[in-house]
mmCIF file of all heavy atoms in Angstrom:
data_model
loop_
_atom_site.group_PDB
_atom_site.id
_atom_site.type_symbol
_atom_site.label_atom_id
_atom_site.label_comp_id
_atom_site.label_asym_id
_atom_site.label_seq_id
_atom_site.Cartn_x
_atom_site.Cartn_y
_atom_site.Cartn_z
ATOM 1 N N VAL A 874 23.400 -12.436 20.237
ATOM 2 C CA VAL A 874 23.157 -11.889 18.898
ATOM 3 C C VAL A 874 22.566 -10.487 18.997
ATOM 4 O O VAL A 874 22.958 -9.575 18.265
ATOM 5 C CB VAL A 874 22.221 -12.825 18.108
ATOM 6 C CG1 VAL A 874 21.768 -12.156 16.813
ATOM 7 C CG2 VAL A 874 22.914 -14.135 17.795
ATOM 8 N N MET A 875 21.617 -10.307 19.919
ATOM 9 C CA MET A 875 20.984 -8.999 20.083
ATOM 10 C C MET A 875 22.001 -7.945 20.520
ATOM 11 O O MET A 875 21.981 -6.807 20.045
ATOM 12 C CB MET A 875 19.859 -9.094 21.107
ATOM 13 C CG MET A 875 18.629 -9.824 20.598
ATOM 14 S SD MET A 875 17.767 -8.895 19.305
ATOM 15 C CE MET A 875 17.158 -7.504 20.247
ATOM 16 N N LEU A 876 22.894 -8.315 21.422
ATOM 17 C CA LEU A 876 23.883 -7.355 21.916
ATOM 18 C C LEU A 876 24.899 -6.982 20.846
ATOM 19 O O LEU A 876 25.402 -5.849 20.817
ATOM 20 C CB LEU A 876 24.593 -7.927 23.147
ATOM 21 C CG LEU A 876 23.711 -8.120 24.394
ATOM 22 C CD1 LEU A 876 24.518 -8.799 25.504
ATOM 23 C CD2 LEU A 876 23.159 -6.784 24.875
ATOM 24 N N VAL A 877 25.201 -7.931 19.966
ATOM 25 C CA VAL A 877 26.207 -7.674 18.924
ATOM 26 C C VAL A 877 25.562 -7.071 17.682
ATOM 27 O O VAL A 877 25.913 -5.975 17.235
ATOM 28 C CB VAL A 877 26.956 -8.980 18.576
ATOM 29 C CG1 VAL A 877 27.912 -8.736 17.409
ATOM 30 C CG2 VAL A 877 27.709 -9.506 19.786
ATOM 31 N N GLU A 878 24.571 -7.793 17.125
ATOM 32 C CA GLU A 878 23.949 -7.356 15.882
ATOM 33 C C GLU A 878 22.980 -6.194 16.104
ATOM 34 O O GLU A 878 22.766 -5.375 15.212
ATOM 35 C CB GLU A 878 23.207 -8.524 15.230
ATOM 36 C CG GLU A 878 24.096 -9.689 14.840
ATOM 37 C CD GLU A 878 24.971 -9.371 13.656
ATOM 38 O OE1 GLU A 878 24.687 -8.396 12.945
ATOM 39 O OE2 GLU A 878 25.950 -10.119 13.437
ATOM 40 N N GLY A 879 22.382 -6.153 17.296
ATOM 41 C CA GLY A 879 21.394 -5.113 17.556
ATOM 42 C C GLY A 879 21.957 -3.714 17.477
ATOM 43 O O GLY A 879 21.236 -2.751 17.178
ATOM 44 N N GLN A 880 23.249 -3.581 17.746
ATOM 45 C CA GLN A 880 23.873 -2.259 17.676
ATOM 46 C C GLN A 880 23.882 -1.709 16.250
ATOM 47 O O GLN A 880 23.900 -0.495 16.045
ATOM 48 C CB GLN A 880 25.317 -2.348 18.199
ATOM 49 C CG GLN A 880 25.428 -2.863 19.627
ATOM 50 C CD GLN A 880 24.779 -1.921 20.619
ATOM 51 O OE1 GLN A 880 24.807 -0.713 20.449
ATOM 52 N NE2 GLN A 880 24.189 -2.468 21.672
ATOM 53 N N ASN A 881 23.872 -2.617 15.289
ATOM 54 C CA ASN A 881 23.940 -2.193 13.894
ATOM 55 C C ASN A 881 22.576 -2.176 13.202
ATOM 56 O O ASN A 881 22.495 -1.889 12.008
ATOM 57 C CB ASN A 881 24.867 -3.141 13.123
ATOM 58 C CG ASN A 881 26.270 -3.164 13.711
ATOM 59 O OD1 ASN A 881 26.793 -2.124 14.118
ATOM 60 N ND2 ASN A 881 26.881 -4.342 13.766
ATOM 61 N N THR A 882 21.522 -2.515 13.959
ATOM 62 C CA THR A 882 20.185 -2.550 13.376
ATOM 63 C C THR A 882 19.503 -1.212 13.591
ATOM 64 O O THR A 882 19.308 -0.785 14.741
ATOM 65 C CB THR A 882 19.351 -3.672 14.022
ATOM 66 O OG1 THR A 882 20.019 -4.925 13.826
ATOM 67 C CG2 THR A 882 17.973 -3.741 13.389
ATOM 68 N N LYS A 883 19.152 -0.543 12.526
ATOM 69 C CA LYS A 883 18.537 0.774 12.602
ATOM 70 C C LYS A 883 17.133 0.721 12.004
ATOM 71 O O LYS A 883 16.945 0.213 10.897
ATOM 72 C CB LYS A 883 19.372 1.816 11.853
ATOM 73 C CG LYS A 883 20.834 1.894 12.300
ATOM 74 C CD LYS A 883 20.961 2.336 13.754
ATOM 75 C CE LYS A 883 22.422 2.463 14.163
ATOM 76 N NZ LYS A 883 22.552 2.824 15.601
ATOM 77 N N ASP A 884 16.174 1.247 12.738
ATOM 78 C CA ASP A 884 14.807 1.338 12.255
ATOM 79 C C ASP A 884 14.567 2.753 11.754
ATOM 80 O O ASP A 884 14.447 3.697 12.537
ATOM 81 C CB ASP A 884 13.833 0.992 13.391
ATOM 82 C CG ASP A 884 12.380 1.180 12.979
ATOM 83 O OD1 ASP A 884 12.120 1.197 11.759
ATOM 84 O OD2 ASP A 884 11.519 1.312 13.867
ATOM 85 N N THR A 885 14.520 2.924 10.456
ATOM 86 C CA THR A 885 14.329 4.250 9.840
ATOM 87 C C THR A 885 12.952 4.391 9.210
ATOM 88 O O THR A 885 12.718 5.314 8.433
ATOM 89 C CB THR A 885 15.409 4.496 8.772
ATOM 90 O OG1 THR A 885 15.332 3.475 7.769
ATOM 91 C CG2 THR A 885 16.801 4.471 9.392
ATOM 92 N N ASN A 886 12.060 3.482 9.542
ATOM 93 C CA ASN A 886 10.725 3.478 8.942
ATOM 94 C C ASN A 886 9.797 4.375 9.755
ATOM 95 O O ASN A 886 9.190 3.958 10.736
ATOM 96 C CB ASN A 886 10.177 2.047 8.896
ATOM 97 C CG ASN A 886 8.853 1.963 8.161
ATOM 98 O OD1 ASN A 886 8.454 2.893 7.463
ATOM 99 N ND2 ASN A 886 8.166 0.841 8.324
ATOM 100 N N PHE A 887 9.695 5.623 9.363
ATOM 101 C CA PHE A 887 8.835 6.577 10.062
ATOM 102 C C PHE A 887 7.378 6.316 9.689
ATOM 103 O O PHE A 887 7.020 6.322 8.510
ATOM 104 C CB PHE A 887 9.229 8.009 9.705
ATOM 105 C CG PHE A 887 10.483 8.456 10.387
ATOM 106 C CD1 PHE A 887 11.734 8.098 9.889
ATOM 107 C CD2 PHE A 887 10.428 9.215 11.545
ATOM 108 C CE1 PHE A 887 12.896 8.504 10.520
ATOM 109 C CE2 PHE A 887 11.583 9.632 12.183
ATOM 110 C CZ PHE A 887 12.827 9.270 11.682
ATOM 111 N N ARG A 888 6.540 6.127 10.711
ATOM 112 C CA ARG A 888 5.141 5.791 10.523
ATOM 113 C C ARG A 888 4.257 6.959 10.933
ATOM 114 O O ARG A 888 4.747 7.970 11.425
ATOM 115 C CB ARG A 888 4.793 4.543 11.328
ATOM 116 C CG ARG A 888 5.679 3.338 11.013
ATOM 117 C CD ARG A 888 5.522 2.244 12.044
ATOM 118 N NE ARG A 888 6.344 1.073 11.758
ATOM 119 C CZ ARG A 888 7.620 0.967 12.104
ATOM 120 N NH1 ARG A 888 8.224 1.951 12.742
ATOM 121 N NH2 ARG A 888 8.302 -0.119 11.817
ATOM 122 N N PHE A 889 2.971 6.762 10.784
ATOM 123 C CA PHE A 889 2.007 7.810 11.100
ATOM 124 C C PHE A 889 2.173 8.308 12.532
ATOM 125 O O PHE A 889 2.182 9.515 12.787
ATOM 126 C CB PHE A 889 0.594 7.265 10.882
ATOM 127 C CG PHE A 889 -0.493 8.202 11.323
ATOM 128 C CD1 PHE A 889 -0.901 9.245 10.510
ATOM 129 C CD2 PHE A 889 -1.112 8.047 12.558
ATOM 130 C CE1 PHE A 889 -1.900 10.107 10.915
ATOM 131 C CE2 PHE A 889 -2.108 8.912 12.968
ATOM 132 C CZ PHE A 889 -2.508 9.945 12.144
ATOM 133 N N ASP A 890 2.317 7.402 13.476
ATOM 134 C CA ASP A 890 2.386 7.802 14.881
ATOM 135 C C ASP A 890 3.665 8.552 15.222
ATOM 136 O O ASP A 890 3.722 9.218 16.266
ATOM 137 C CB ASP A 890 2.268 6.566 15.786
ATOM 138 C CG ASP A 890 0.824 6.102 15.912
ATOM 139 O OD1 ASP A 890 -0.069 6.861 15.491
ATOM 140 O OD2 ASP A 890 0.582 4.990 16.413
ATOM 141 N N ASN A 891 4.683 8.450 14.391
ATOM 142 C CA ASN A 891 5.932 9.162 14.669
ATOM 143 C C ASN A 891 5.813 10.666 14.415
ATOM 144 O O ASN A 891 6.706 11.422 14.783
ATOM 145 C CB ASN A 891 7.072 8.597 13.820
ATOM 146 C CG ASN A 891 7.350 7.145 14.121
ATOM 147 O OD1 ASN A 891 7.336 6.299 13.232
ATOM 148 N ND2 ASN A 891 7.571 6.822 15.388
ATOM 149 N N TYR A 892 4.717 11.074 13.809
ATOM 150 C CA TYR A 892 4.499 12.493 13.528
ATOM 151 C C TYR A 892 3.494 13.123 14.505
ATOM 152 O O TYR A 892 3.057 14.250 14.295
ATOM 153 C CB TYR A 892 3.998 12.669 12.095
ATOM 154 C CG TYR A 892 4.997 12.227 11.054
ATOM 155 C CD1 TYR A 892 4.990 10.924 10.576
ATOM 156 C CD2 TYR A 892 5.957 13.108 10.555
ATOM 157 C CE1 TYR A 892 5.907 10.503 9.618
ATOM 158 C CE2 TYR A 892 6.877 12.699 9.602
ATOM 159 C CZ TYR A 892 6.849 11.393 9.138
ATOM 160 O OH TYR A 892 7.756 10.978 8.204
ATOM 161 N N THR A 893 3.125 12.398 15.544
ATOM 162 C CA THR A 893 2.133 12.884 16.502
ATOM 163 C C THR A 893 2.787 13.134 17.853
ATOM 164 O O THR A 893 3.950 12.803 18.085
ATOM 165 C CB THR A 893 0.990 11.863 16.658
ATOM 166 O OG1 THR A 893 1.513 10.636 17.180
ATOM 167 C CG2 THR A 893 0.334 11.596 15.316
ATOM 168 N N ASP A 894 2.026 13.733 18.759
ATOM 169 C CA ASP A 894 2.502 14.069 20.100
ATOM 170 C C ASP A 894 3.037 12.817 20.795
ATOM 171 O O ASP A 894 2.295 11.852 20.998
ATOM 172 C CB ASP A 894 1.346 14.667 20.905
ATOM 173 C CG ASP A 894 1.732 15.017 22.331
ATOM 174 O OD1 ASP A 894 2.928 14.927 22.673
ATOM 175 O OD2 ASP A 894 0.824 15.381 23.105
ATOM 176 N N PRO A 895 4.321 12.782 21.193
ATOM 177 C CA PRO A 895 4.876 11.573 21.805
ATOM 178 C C PRO A 895 4.283 11.257 23.176
ATOM 179 O O PRO A 895 4.406 10.126 23.652
ATOM 180 C CB PRO A 895 6.371 11.885 21.915
ATOM 181 C CG PRO A 895 6.442 13.370 21.953
ATOM 182 C CD PRO A 895 5.331 13.846 21.066
ATOM 183 N N ALA A 896 3.641 12.247 23.826
ATOM 184 C CA ALA A 896 3.048 11.996 25.136
ATOM 185 C C ALA A 896 1.684 11.326 25.033
ATOM 186 O O ALA A 896 1.122 10.919 26.058
ATOM 187 C CB ALA A 896 2.916 13.304 25.928
ATOM 188 N N TYR A 897 1.156 11.212 23.820
ATOM 189 C CA TYR A 897 -0.153 10.576 23.652
ATOM 190 C C TYR A 897 0.052 9.095 23.344
ATOM 191 O O TYR A 897 0.691 8.739 22.349
ATOM 192 C CB TYR A 897 -0.942 11.239 22.531
ATOM 193 C CG TYR A 897 -2.342 10.678 22.393
ATOM 194 C CD1 TYR A 897 -3.350 11.077 23.254
ATOM 195 C CD2 TYR A 897 -2.642 9.741 21.406
ATOM 196 C CE1 TYR A 897 -4.634 10.559 23.143
ATOM 197 C CE2 TYR A 897 -3.919 9.224 21.283
ATOM 198 C CZ TYR A 897 -4.907 9.628 22.161
ATOM 199 O OH TYR A 897 -6.165 9.103 22.055
ATOM 200 N N TYR A 898 -0.504 8.234 24.186
ATOM 201 C CA TYR A 898 -0.293 6.799 24.018
ATOM 202 C C TYR A 898 -1.594 5.994 24.112
ATOM 203 O O TYR A 898 -1.578 4.756 23.981
ATOM 204 C CB TYR A 898 0.663 6.276 25.103
ATOM 205 C CG TYR A 898 0.104 6.398 26.503
ATOM 206 C CD1 TYR A 898 -0.638 5.367 27.066
ATOM 207 C CD2 TYR A 898 0.299 7.542 27.263
ATOM 208 C CE1 TYR A 898 -1.173 5.480 28.339
ATOM 209 C CE2 TYR A 898 -0.226 7.658 28.535
ATOM 210 C CZ TYR A 898 -0.953 6.624 29.071
ATOM 211 O OH TYR A 898 -1.483 6.740 30.321
ATOM 212 N N LEU A 899 -2.723 6.649 24.367
ATOM 213 C CA LEU A 899 -3.953 5.931 24.686
ATOM 214 C C LEU A 899 -4.553 5.202 23.493
ATOM 215 O O LEU A 899 -5.256 4.208 23.658
ATOM 216 C CB LEU A 899 -4.977 6.917 25.263
ATOM 217 C CG LEU A 899 -4.519 7.606 26.556
ATOM 218 C CD1 LEU A 899 -5.501 8.678 26.958
ATOM 219 C CD2 LEU A 899 -4.355 6.579 27.672
ATOM 220 N N MET A 900 -4.314 5.698 22.286
ATOM 221 C CA MET A 900 -4.719 5.015 21.063
ATOM 222 C C MET A 900 -3.623 5.224 20.033
ATOM 223 O O MET A 900 -2.854 6.170 20.129
ATOM 224 C CB MET A 900 -6.051 5.560 20.531
ATOM 225 C CG MET A 900 -7.251 5.239 21.384
ATOM 226 S SD MET A 900 -8.813 5.716 20.578
ATOM 227 C CE MET A 900 -8.690 7.502 20.625
ATOM 228 N N TRP A 901 -3.566 4.326 19.054
ATOM 229 C CA TRP A 901 -2.552 4.486 18.022
ATOM 230 C C TRP A 901 -3.129 4.042 16.681
ATOM 231 O O TRP A 901 -4.011 3.207 16.593
ATOM 232 C CB TRP A 901 -1.285 3.701 18.359
ATOM 233 C CG TRP A 901 -1.516 2.255 18.676
ATOM 234 C CD1 TRP A 901 -1.460 1.196 17.830
ATOM 235 C CD2 TRP A 901 -1.829 1.706 19.972
ATOM 236 N NE1 TRP A 901 -1.728 0.026 18.497
ATOM 237 C CE2 TRP A 901 -1.951 0.309 19.807
ATOM 238 C CE3 TRP A 901 -2.008 2.262 21.245
ATOM 239 C CZ2 TRP A 901 -2.254 -0.533 20.876
ATOM 240 C CZ3 TRP A 901 -2.312 1.418 22.293
ATOM 241 C CH2 TRP A 901 -2.426 0.042 22.114
ATOM 242 N N ARG A 902 -2.588 4.621 15.610
ATOM 243 C CA ARG A 902 -3.092 4.345 14.259
ATOM 244 C C ARG A 902 -2.107 3.538 13.427
ATOM 245 O O ARG A 902 -2.422 3.171 12.305
ATOM 246 C CB ARG A 902 -3.402 5.665 13.544
ATOM 247 C CG ARG A 902 -4.401 6.551 14.253
ATOM 248 C CD ARG A 902 -5.744 5.878 14.441
ATOM 249 N NE ARG A 902 -6.407 5.607 13.180
ATOM 250 C CZ ARG A 902 -7.384 6.362 12.683
ATOM 251 N NH1 ARG A 902 -7.795 7.431 13.341
ATOM 252 N NH2 ARG A 902 -7.960 6.061 11.544
ATOM 253 N N THR A 903 -0.917 3.265 13.954
ATOM 254 C CA THR A 903 0.132 2.501 13.278
ATOM 255 C C THR A 903 0.460 3.110 11.926
ATOM 256 O O THR A 903 0.272 4.302 11.714
ATOM 257 C CB THR A 903 -0.259 1.018 13.136
ATOM 258 O OG1 THR A 903 -1.339 0.885 12.213
ATOM 259 C CG2 THR A 903 -0.669 0.437 14.462
ATOM 260 N N ASP A 904 0.953 2.286 11.005
ATOM 261 C CA ASP A 904 1.355 2.800 9.698
ATOM 262 C C ASP A 904 0.214 2.714 8.687
ATOM 263 O O ASP A 904 0.403 2.980 7.505
ATOM 264 C CB ASP A 904 2.580 2.053 9.165
ATOM 265 C CG ASP A 904 2.391 0.546 9.177
ATOM 266 O OD1 ASP A 904 1.353 0.097 9.688
ATOM 267 O OD2 ASP A 904 3.281 -0.163 8.697
ATOM 268 N N MET A 905 -0.980 2.326 9.142
ATOM 269 C CA MET A 905 -2.164 2.324 8.285
ATOM 270 C C MET A 905 -3.256 3.111 8.999
ATOM 271 O O MET A 905 -4.152 2.543 9.637
ATOM 272 C CB MET A 905 -2.632 0.891 7.998
ATOM 273 C CG MET A 905 -1.709 0.129 7.068
ATOM 274 S SD MET A 905 -2.405 -1.468 6.619
ATOM 275 C CE MET A 905 -1.226 -2.016 5.379
ATOM 276 N N PRO A 906 -3.204 4.438 8.940
ATOM 277 C CA PRO A 906 -4.132 5.254 9.732
ATOM 278 C C PRO A 906 -5.544 5.317 9.192
ATOM 279 O O PRO A 906 -6.447 5.775 9.889
ATOM 280 C CB PRO A 906 -3.478 6.637 9.679
ATOM 281 C CG PRO A 906 -2.736 6.644 8.387
ATOM 282 C CD PRO A 906 -2.240 5.250 8.185
ATOM 283 N N GLY A 907 -5.767 4.864 7.959
ATOM 284 C CA GLY A 907 -7.099 4.941 7.388
ATOM 285 C C GLY A 907 -7.284 6.183 6.535
ATOM 286 O O GLY A 907 -6.431 7.069 6.472
ATOM 287 N N LYS A 908 -8.430 6.261 5.894
ATOM 288 C CA LYS A 908 -8.682 7.347 4.944
ATOM 289 C C LYS A 908 -9.026 8.662 5.638
ATOM 290 O O LYS A 908 -8.604 9.726 5.214
ATOM 291 C CB LYS A 908 -9.822 6.942 4.004
ATOM 292 C CG LYS A 908 -9.508 5.750 3.107
ATOM 293 C CD LYS A 908 -10.699 5.420 2.220
ATOM 294 C CE LYS A 908 -10.406 4.237 1.305
ATOM 295 N NZ LYS A 908 -11.568 3.884 0.452
ATOM 296 N N ASN A 909 -9.824 8.597 6.702
ATOM 297 C CA ASN A 909 -10.342 9.807 7.333
ATOM 298 C C ASN A 909 -9.852 9.886 8.778
ATOM 299 O O ASN A 909 -10.562 9.527 9.718
ATOM 300 C CB ASN A 909 -11.874 9.815 7.280
ATOM 301 C CG ASN A 909 -12.409 9.722 5.863
ATOM 302 O OD1 ASN A 909 -11.965 10.459 4.993
ATOM 303 N ND2 ASN A 909 -13.349 8.827 5.640
ATOM 304 N N VAL A 910 -8.642 10.358 8.949
ATOM 305 C CA VAL A 910 -8.048 10.421 10.282
ATOM 306 C C VAL A 910 -8.568 11.624 11.066
ATOM 307 O O VAL A 910 -8.918 11.535 12.245
ATOM 308 C CB VAL A 910 -6.509 10.473 10.184
ATOM 309 C CG1 VAL A 910 -5.905 10.634 11.570
ATOM 310 C CG2 VAL A 910 -5.983 9.216 9.512
ATOM 311 N N GLY A 911 -8.634 12.774 10.443
ATOM 312 C CA GLY A 911 -9.030 13.992 11.146
ATOM 313 C C GLY A 911 -7.928 14.453 12.075
ATOM 314 O O GLY A 911 -6.761 14.097 11.930
ATOM 315 N N ASP A 912 -8.297 15.288 13.066
ATOM 316 C CA ASP A 912 -7.310 15.754 14.036
ATOM 317 C C ASP A 912 -6.823 14.585 14.884
ATOM 318 O O ASP A 912 -7.623 13.808 15.414
ATOM 319 C CB ASP A 912 -7.924 16.824 14.944
ATOM 320 C CG ASP A 912 -8.234 18.107 14.196
ATOM 321 O OD1 ASP A 912 -7.565 18.353 13.173
ATOM 322 O OD2 ASP A 912 -9.140 18.844 14.627
ATOM 323 N N TRP A 913 -5.509 14.488 15.018
ATOM 324 C CA TRP A 913 -4.933 13.392 15.797
ATOM 325 C C TRP A 913 -3.714 13.898 16.554
ATOM 326 O O TRP A 913 -2.858 14.520 15.961
ATOM 327 C CB TRP A 913 -4.531 12.218 14.888
ATOM 328 C CG TRP A 913 -4.252 10.984 15.680
ATOM 329 C CD1 TRP A 913 -3.030 10.505 16.074
ATOM 330 C CD2 TRP A 913 -5.212 10.074 16.195
ATOM 331 N NE1 TRP A 913 -3.159 9.371 16.799
ATOM 332 C CE2 TRP A 913 -4.505 9.080 16.894
ATOM 333 C CE3 TRP A 913 -6.597 10.015 16.160
ATOM 334 C CZ2 TRP A 913 -5.142 8.022 17.535
ATOM 335 C CZ3 TRP A 913 -7.233 8.971 16.789
ATOM 336 C CH2 TRP A 913 -6.505 7.989 17.465
ATOM 337 N N PRO A 914 -3.624 13.664 17.856
ATOM 338 C CA PRO A 914 -4.579 12.945 18.716
ATOM 339 C C PRO A 914 -5.894 13.706 18.866
ATOM 340 O O PRO A 914 -5.934 14.924 18.684
ATOM 341 C CB PRO A 914 -3.849 12.857 20.050
ATOM 342 C CG PRO A 914 -2.409 13.123 19.741
ATOM 343 C CD PRO A 914 -2.396 14.040 18.564
ATOM 344 N N PRO A 915 -6.955 12.990 19.217
ATOM 345 C CA PRO A 915 -8.244 13.669 19.417
ATOM 346 C C PRO A 915 -8.161 14.648 20.576
ATOM 347 O O PRO A 915 -7.505 14.380 21.584
ATOM 348 C CB PRO A 915 -9.212 12.509 19.714
ATOM 349 C CG PRO A 915 -8.345 11.384 20.157
ATOM 350 C CD PRO A 915 -7.054 11.533 19.430
ATOM 351 N N LEU A 916 -8.829 15.779 20.446
ATOM 352 C CA LEU A 916 -8.775 16.814 21.466
ATOM 353 C C LEU A 916 -9.481 16.360 22.729
ATOM 354 O O LEU A 916 -10.619 15.897 22.685
ATOM 355 C CB LEU A 916 -9.418 18.100 20.941
ATOM 356 C CG LEU A 916 -9.339 19.332 21.849
ATOM 357 C CD1 LEU A 916 -7.895 19.751 22.056
ATOM 358 C CD2 LEU A 916 -10.151 20.476 21.257
ATOM 359 N N GLY A 917 -8.808 16.499 23.883
ATOM 360 C CA GLY A 917 -9.375 16.102 25.155
ATOM 361 C C GLY A 917 -9.986 17.256 25.920
ATOM 362 O O GLY A 917 -9.876 18.424 25.531
ATOM 363 N N GLU A 918 -10.607 16.925 27.058
ATOM 364 C CA GLU A 918 -11.351 17.908 27.833
ATOM 365 C C GLU A 918 -10.470 18.726 28.765
ATOM 366 O O GLU A 918 -10.815 19.851 29.145
ATOM 367 C CB GLU A 918 -12.439 17.211 28.671
ATOM 368 C CG GLU A 918 -13.487 16.453 27.858
ATOM 369 C CD GLU A 918 -13.050 15.034 27.507
ATOM 370 O OE1 GLU A 918 -11.896 14.693 27.809
ATOM 371 O OE2 GLU A 918 -13.852 14.290 26.921
ATOM 372 N N TYR A 919 -9.338 18.191 29.177
ATOM 373 C CA TYR A 919 -8.505 18.841 30.187
ATOM 374 C C TYR A 919 -7.167 19.220 29.560
ATOM 375 O O TYR A 919 -6.266 18.399 29.436
ATOM 376 C CB TYR A 919 -8.292 17.902 31.383
ATOM 377 C CG TYR A 919 -7.395 18.462 32.465
ATOM 378 C CD1 TYR A 919 -7.853 19.434 33.349
ATOM 379 C CD2 TYR A 919 -6.089 18.005 32.606
ATOM 380 C CE1 TYR A 919 -7.036 19.936 34.335
ATOM 381 C CE2 TYR A 919 -5.255 18.500 33.594
ATOM 382 C CZ TYR A 919 -5.736 19.463 34.453
ATOM 383 O OH TYR A 919 -4.914 19.971 35.443
ATOM 384 N N GLY A 920 -7.050 20.481 29.111
ATOM 385 C CA GLY A 920 -5.811 20.924 28.480
ATOM 386 C C GLY A 920 -5.436 20.107 27.265
ATOM 387 O O GLY A 920 -4.252 19.870 27.010
#
């Protein structure tokens, strides 16, 4: 079923994390990021 039907299944639901740096994976906010997100991803110490 996955091989047949999966080809026609499209996920078009863009969430909060889809608008952030794709290389950042250490934390995620999902589609309910909360009221006060601030800068995201949080700025790190090394570059």
Side-chain angles (χ1 to χ4, degrees):
V874 170
M875 287 292 292
L876 294 175
V877 175
E878 298 288 343
Q880 302 296 326
N881 301 321
T882 302
K883 305 296 182 183
D884 175 20
T885 59
N886 186 14
F887 285 81
R888 305 167 179 84
F889 173 81
D890 281 348
N891 298 125
Y892 296 91
T893 62
D894 178 7
Y897 184 79
Y898 64 90
L899 299 173
M900 291 188 291
W901 53 93
R902 302 300 295 259
T903 69
D904 52 355
M905 289 187 173
K908 296 180 180 179
N909 302 311
V910 176
D912 292 334
W913 194 262
L916 185 63
E918 299 85 354
Y919 178 76

